[in-house]
Amino acid sequence: MANTLANAMVTTRTVVPVEVTGPLRALSFEHPPGTFAPTPATMIALRAVAQHWHVLEGTGLDWGSGVGCLAIAAAKIPAVRLVVGLEIVPANVGAARQNATLNGVAERVSFLKADSFDACDHEGRAVLQTLEGRARFILANPPSSSPDGDGFEYRRVVLRGAHRFLEPGGIVFLNISEQYGSERVLGLTRLAPAFRHDGVLATTDYVAFDMTRPDLLLDVETYAAEERRGGSAYAFRNPVEPARPMTAVEALAQFRRTGQSPLSRWQVHRFTYLPP
Ligand SMILES: C[S@@+](CC[C@H](N)C(=O)[O-])C[C@H]1O[C@@H](n2cnc3c(N)ncnc32)[C@H](O)[C@@H]1O
C-alpha cells in the first residue's frame, strides 16, 4: 500500500519514440502527479504533427495544451516560430514549461493559463491580443465536454473561437475520435461555415475504447444518455464482430454484460479557415 502510494507521487516520464515523431526526433514529457498524462489521443495528435510537419509554419496555438506535448512537437519544426499553449490547470502549465526546457524549445513556446481562448491574467491577454488574425495554425486535443451534453461541445468551442486568431488559409488540427460519428463532424462546419473540412489527417486502427478507464466509461454513459434523449447515434464498432457498428447504448449494455469494451479509432481531422 505504502509502495503504491509512494509510486503515485512520483513524476512519470513518457518518451515518445521516433516511430511516432519521425523527423521531429524522440520527445520526452514529464507529468508529475496531478498533471495530465499523455494518452492514445495525444499519440495520434503527435503523429499528425509529425506526418504533416510541412504544412505547419509561423505562429500557432495549442488549445488545452496539457503538459505541452503538441506545442513542443510543433516547435521542433524549423518553419514554426512560436507556439502558444492555452491551458486551464495551473499544474499542467508549470509542467509544460519544464517540458519545453527538457526538449530544448523553451524560446519557441509559451504556456498561458487560460479558459479556452481567454487568458486568465493581464500578461496572457496581451500575448493573445498580438496573435489575433496572425496565427497560421491551431492544434487541439480537447477533453470530452460535460456529461450534461453530447461530449462534443469543446470541439465546437475550438472551431467557433478559432477564427479570432487564424489568418485566412490558416489550419486547425482537431482530435475527433471516430465514435462521435460523421453527423457531428459535419455539424462543425455548419456552426463555423468559414471552415472547410479537409478530412482525417491521422488515424489509429480500431482499438478498444477502454471502458475500464473511468473517464472513458463516463464518456460512453454520456453518449448513451444523449442517444436516449434523441441525439444522433454514436459510431462504435462491435469487438466481437468489428465490421458491425454499435451505438453507445449497445456498447454500454455489452460492457455491463461481458466487460468487453467497444472499438473506435483515435483520429485527427483538419479544417482550413477560408473566410468569404
Ligand atoms: C485531452 S487533454 C490534451 C492535453 C494535450 N494537448 C495532449 O494532447 O496531451 C485536454 C486538456 O485541455 C485542458 N482543458 C480543459 N478545459 C479547458 C479550457 N476550458 N481551457 C483550456 N484548457 C482546458 C485540460 O486540462 C487538459 O489538459
Side-chain angles (χ1 to χ4, degrees), residues 159-160 182-195 271:
L159 216 61
R160 258 197 320 248
S182 53
E183 207 168 303
R184 286 187 180 81
V185 177
L186 291 177
L188 285 174
T189 47
R190 282 198 291 275
L191 193 76
F195 285 89
F271 296 83

Side-chain angles (χ1 to χ4, degrees), residues 86-266:
L86 307 174
E87 170 58 48
I88 201 161
V89 176
N92 286 340
V93 174
R97 288 177 181 151
Q98 287 183 354
N99 283 325
T101 302
L102 182 68
N103 289 281
V105 293
E107 311 80 53
R108 298 167 74 186
V109 293
S110 171
F111 292 100
L112 307 179
K113 180 163 185 290
D115 183 354
S116 190
F117 288 111
D118 297 318
C120 295
D121 60 32
H122 179 72
E123 208 177 309
R125 281 192 286 277
V127 170
L128 283 184
Q129 212 167 9
T130 66
L131 292 184
E132 286 183 7
R134 299 222 168 100
R136 286 298 304 163
F137 63 91
I138 296 178
L139 311 172
N141 173 19
S144 297
S145 51
S146 130
D148 309 335
D150 66 354
F152 199 66
E153 192 54 25
Y154 279 128
R155 272 91 188 154
R156 300 185 185 105
V157 166
V158 168
L159 216 61
R160 258 197 320 248
H163 69 91
R164 181 173 140 208
F165 295 98
L166 288 175
E167 50 182 51
I171 54 182
V172 180
F173 284 15
L174 183 58
N175 276 65
I176 306 175
S177 43
E178 191 181 80
Q179 81 278 354
Y180 281 115
S182 53
E183 207 168 303
R184 286 187 180 81
V185 177
L186 291 177
L188 285 174
T189 47
R190 282 198 291 275
L191 193 76
F195 285 89
R196 180 185 72 203
H197 179 227
D198 299 322
V200 173
L201 276 183
T203 184
T204 62
D205 291 332
Y206 281 103
V207 292
F209 192 82
D210 181 4
M211 288 175 68
T212 62
R213 255 177 67 183
D215 57 333
L216 298 191
L217 173 60
L218 178 63
D219 285 350
V220 182
E221 287 170 345
T222 300
Y223 306 158
E226 175 66 9
E227 284 176 353
R228 287 193 201 99
R229 280 191 295 267
S232 68
Y234 291 78
F236 285 110
R237 293 293 179 102
N238 192 323
V240 180
E241 209 183 319
R244 256 190 58 206
M246 198 179 206
T247 65
V249 167
E250 290 166 344
L252 192 57
Q254 177 149 315
F255 177 72
R256 287 186 176 146
R257 214 175 43 246
T258 67
Q260 277 179 309
S261 296
L263 306 179
S264 188
R265 293 193 285 194
W266 301 103

Side-chain angles (χ1 to χ4, degrees), residues 57-109:
E57 60 180 352
T59 298
L61 288 164
D62 176 7
W63 190 106
S65 45
V67 297
C69 305
L70 310 187
I72 289 167
K76 287 273 180 183
I77 299 167
V80 169
R81 200 173 59 80
L82 174 71
V83 189
V84 176
L86 307 174
E87 170 58 48
I88 201 161
V89 176
N92 286 340
V93 174
R97 288 177 181 151
Q98 287 183 354
N99 283 325
T101 302
L102 182 68
N103 289 281
V105 293
E107 311 80 53
R108 298 167 74 186
V109 293

